[in-house]
Amino acid sequence: MSATAIATPSTMWPSAKERRSDGLVAFDACHRRTLAIVGALEDMVATLDRAGPSAATCAEAASIAEFLSGEARAHHEHEERFLFPALLRGADPSLMRAVRRLHEDHDRMEEAWMELEPHVQAIATGFGTWDRDVLREGVCLLAALQRDHIEAEESLIYPELRKRLGSTDRRVLGRSLAKGERIAQDTSTLENPAVLEQISHSV
Ligand SMILES: [Fe+2]
Ligand SMILES: [Fe+2]
């Protein structure tokens, strides 16, 4: 079972054409998938509380680990590289504080996942050991962090991004995400690698 199999109905993952024509669509879709994966992780812990790992549980653990180590990490990286800088240009202090908090959330979620990952991988592969209490507490923490973070992003920064990024920026973003590349052309509203560095001095 793949992460996609856990996370979709198909509406959760728009077509390649839709994602290429508007990069924000791909970011939104990743939020939906992340929430589905977090739910699957909680269900997995509940299943393990009732019984030991089955073949289905192992496969599910593998897909969850694949998603959280791959697509979820890339999503945070892309937000930091492409979206946060676009928000910070001309931002008022409250928006700058919000972006800084979201950036720190990414670090907290990464730390939570790094604690949890060896246990999920042990279930997935059957090698190594996993601890039920560590797993339960780690999943609880990661799920809360992910849900709070996505809610904050969707209530504040994504509406603001929709105002700031025009159709050309969103298309450039979509194409770059589809290719797995850095944005190749100059887009004045998108990339500024120094901006996050500036936050710590300005907030
Ligand atoms: Fe984020
Ligand atoms: Fe996000």
Side-chain angles (χ1 to χ4, degrees), residues 27 30-31 75-76 79 83-84 106 149-150 153 157-158:
F27 282 94
C30 192
H31 285 175
H75 174 87
H76 294 165
E79 285 180 331
L83 302 188
F84 291 175
H106 288 177
H149 182 78
I150 289 172
E153 287 186 336
I157 70 164
Y158 278 78

Side-chain angles (χ1 to χ4, degrees), residues 92-108:
D92 62 29
S94 68
L95 182 56
M96 294 188 81
R97 278 194 295 275
V99 173
R100 183 182 187 182
R101 177 220 143 167
L102 293 170
H103 191 262
E104 290 169 350
D105 283 352
H106 288 177
D107 293 338
R108 279 193 281 273

